[in-house]
Amino acid sequence: MRRTVAAACALLALTLTGCGVVDRPDPAGWDQQAGTALEDAASQVATARLALRSAARERTWSTYTTVLVAEAEEAAASTEEDLSRVQVPRPRRSAAARVQELLSRAVDAVAQAREHAVDGVYDDAALLDELDRVDAALEHEHDRVAP
Amino acid sequence: MKRYFAVLLGVLTAIGGFVDIGDLVTNAQVGARFGTSLVWVVVFGVVGICVFAEMSGRIAAVSRRATFDLVRERLGPRIGFLNLVGSMLVTLLTFIAEIGGVALALQLVSSVHHVLLVPFVAAAVWIVLWRARFSSIENVLGLMGLTLIGFAVALWQLGPDWSELAAGLAPAEKPAAESWATYAFFGVALFGAAMTPYEVFFFSSGGVEEHWSDKDIGVMRANVLIGFPLGGILSVAIAACAATVYLPEGIAVETLGQVGLPVAVGLGKIGLAVVVLGFFAATFGAACETGLSTGYSLAQYFGFQWGKFVRPKEAAGFHIILLLATVLAAGVLLTGVDPIMVTEISVVFSAVALPLTYFPILVVANDPDYLGEHVNGPVANALGVFYLVVITIAALAAIPLMVATSMGQG
């Protein structure tokens, strides 16, 4: 009986440890969260790029493109914000700075894509190149952080 | 001739009405992440829903009473209540997701935020539930839902490597980066989406609404055995379009707009417009079906007059439930909760509630007091028991998989 109570208490304590106000993962846990965030951001960047390219080829109408890119922007910003609230383990400080900078760049690129979508400008080569570069950089960083 | 027309209309509406927000979102998500390696779950789920829809349709046609009208009588108030609570909560959750889905579909053509559209959509759904005839709801929205065939046409236009798509059908061909736990989670979600409980609530109660008799069993079987599998093909086409366009790009599907984008890539604006009309019809139709199912299940359990075959005044309690459910759904969506997240949760909890829905059907379908000579034969029983075992395993695995994979995140 005592053992059962002790086990239940230990389980409860373990569960509550994971329910803190601040998420404090160990280095491996942080790597996983950062990897997921980079993957999500890459997905949003690729969505914005595909939406603009489809619109440039007149395969979607303006409101559809705007909604798609605006939702990608919102999701990318949410990904960046979520990771920024995670307590970075000391050994991952420099990696975290790199990842946050890259996520911020992704959010900026998708925000620019949204501005272009609202203005009806779908074929800005400089923006499309930037989306390509950000996507590639996100994938590269993902391979470094969570191979 | 009239009979052939009834079969054709029934089959067409069954195809168009098969896909709802859960199928749209889950199939696109799965296609984008797992290619075609989970298509077997859709096929398996479609066979399962055919088995139990045929049983519940037969019960309605022979006994002239809806399945869940009989559950309390046959299994007692306790089991009946458990069945009611489990199945109805999932149906209500699905109702919320469907109303949100209609708002998301309208957002794609108006660019007005979906939260602002929710009150208008909820009002429109309630007016249709209150005023429109049952056959009009079923036929008009079911036929409009056929526009989702646009996904199959888009797939053909996208020109995928068919041999690669076919080779990807084997479970072993799942992308190496995805874990087996995530694969199993999405498998359970797909299964829940294909076998969602409201489909049998609606199907059996609809049989009573349309005054089926044992002479209609043949037409009912044709609707189920032809219409549902063809509807399942639409689900597969949605997954295959996502697999063709998104999997190579590493894009995950999180919005309804992303579900339709592969059609735009394949067919352009007209194809996209047709499919967005399909989104609207599928979600609006399913909103009506789930709304009605909520009313059916509560009214049938508590034993008061239900249905659209009587005037609203004669089924006041039933119509009050419909109104309250619609207000509740709108209220939940007005908090700003993401309808796609509600959809993801609803398909997982559909899987959890499956045994509560399907076990009583199997029991009632074996009772000669209700079905006489039309009780289950050995094939229906063998399939029913087999599926009940699978359903129970899926129900037990759903929550642990949801926790272990953080809703399929990894």
Side-chain angles (χ1 to χ4, degrees), chain B residues 273-367:
Chain B
V274 167
V275 157
V276 171
L277 176 67
F279 288 169
F280 173 80
T283 50
F284 200 100
C288 293
E289 292 177 10
T290 45
L292 284 171
S293 297
T294 306
Y296 289 148
S297 52
L298 273 171
Q300 286 165 14
Y301 180 81
F302 290 106
F304 48 82
Q305 181 64 57
W306 58 273
K308 293 189 60 61
F309 57 95
V310 292
R311 281 185 297 185
K313 206 164 69 178
E314 292 166 36
F318 172 71
H319 281 278
I320 287 171
I321 293 169
L322 298 187
L323 176 61
L324 291 177
T326 311
V327 170
L328 178 68
V332 170
L333 289 164
L334 284 173
T335 63
V337 64
D338 180 9
I340 298 295
M341 195 188 75
V342 178
T343 304
E344 289 168 353
I345 294 171
S346 77
V347 293
V348 176
F349 281 90
S350 276
V352 175
L354 290 178
L356 294 173
T357 306
Y358 292 114
F359 170 69
I361 294 178
L362 191 60
V363 173
V364 176
N366 273 290
D367 192 329

Side-chain angles (χ1 to χ4, degrees), chain B residues 71-410:
Chain B
V71 168
R72 185 180 163 172
E73 187 176 288
R74 176 66 178 76
L75 297 175
R78 277 192 188 173
I79 299 280
F81 188 71
L82 193 66
N83 169 262
L84 172 78
V85 171
S87 303
M88 204 204 67
L89 286 180
V90 171
T91 304
L92 199 56
L93 200 59
T94 314
F95 183 48
I96 296 168
E98 303 295 349
I99 289 185
V102 180
L104 288 176
L106 293 175
Q107 178 181 270
L108 291 172
V109 288
S110 66
S111 79
V112 175
H113 197 283
H114 65 86
V115 173
L116 295 175
L117 296 167
V118 162
F120 300 100
V121 172
V125 168
W126 178 70
I127 289 168
V128 168
L129 292 179
W130 182 41
R131 301 295 299 173
R133 284 190 307 174
F134 182 87
S135 57
S136 307
I137 297 173
E138 193 182 28
N139 296 338
V140 172
L141 294 168
L143 290 174
M144 276 169 69
L146 280 174
T147 52
L148 291 175
I149 288 171
F151 277 98
V153 182
L155 180 63
W156 169 64
Q157 271 303 101
L158 285 167
D161 183 339
W162 294 102
S163 58
E164 198 178 310
L165 272 186
L169 289 169
E173 293 300 320
K174 76 161 181 61
E178 300 286 358
S179 70
W180 282 108
T182 317
Y183 181 85
F185 170 76
F186 277 99
V188 168
L190 261 188
F191 191 58
M195 290 199 67
T196 186
Y198 82 83
E199 287 178 12
V200 286
F201 280 131
F202 182 74
F203 194 67
S204 67
S205 303
V208 179
E209 294 264 24
E210 292 182 321
H211 306 292
W212 285 353
S213 70
D214 49 4
K215 286 180 189 160
D216 295 305
I217 288 178
V219 176
M220 178 275 293
R221 280 191 176 136
N223 293 351
V224 170
L225 301 177
I226 302 172
F228 283 13
L230 290 176
I233 290 175
L234 295 186
S235 295
V236 173
I238 294 166
C241 278
T244 305
V245 173
Y246 292 143
L247 189 59
E249 298 277 334
I251 295 175
V253 173
E254 290 170 24
T255 65
L256 191 62
Q258 286 176 303
V259 178
L261 190 56
V263 177
V265 174
L267 296 176
K269 282 180 187 170
I270 293 175
L272 183 62
V274 167
V275 157
V276 171
L277 176 67
F279 288 169
F280 173 80
T283 50
F284 200 100
C288 293
E289 292 177 10
T290 45
L292 284 171
S293 297
T294 306
Y296 289 148
S297 52
L298 273 171
Q300 286 165 14
Y301 180 81
F302 290 106
F304 48 82
Q305 181 64 57
W306 58 273
K308 293 189 60 61
F309 57 95
V310 292
R311 281 185 297 185
K313 206 164 69 178
E314 292 166 36
F318 172 71
H319 281 278
I320 287 171
I321 293 169
L322 298 187
L323 176 61
L324 291 177
T326 311
V327 170
L328 178 68
V332 170
L333 289 164
L334 284 173
T335 63
V337 64
D338 180 9
I340 298 295
M341 195 188 75
V342 178
T343 304
E344 289 168 353
I345 294 171
S346 77
V347 293
V348 176
F349 281 90
S350 276
V352 175
L354 290 178
L356 294 173
T357 306
Y358 292 114
F359 170 69
I361 294 178
L362 191 60
V363 173
V364 176
N366 273 290
D367 192 329
D369 287 346
Y370 297 117
L371 277 110
E373 60 177 307
H374 295 286
V375 287
N376 272 2
V379 175
N381 271 337
L383 283 169
V385 170
F386 171 69
Y387 267 95
L388 206 57
V389 172
V390 176
I391 280 166
T392 307
I393 293 168
L396 292 173
I399 302 288
L401 283 171
M402 186 173 82
V403 174
T405 65
S406 307
M407 284 289 288
Q409 287 291 309

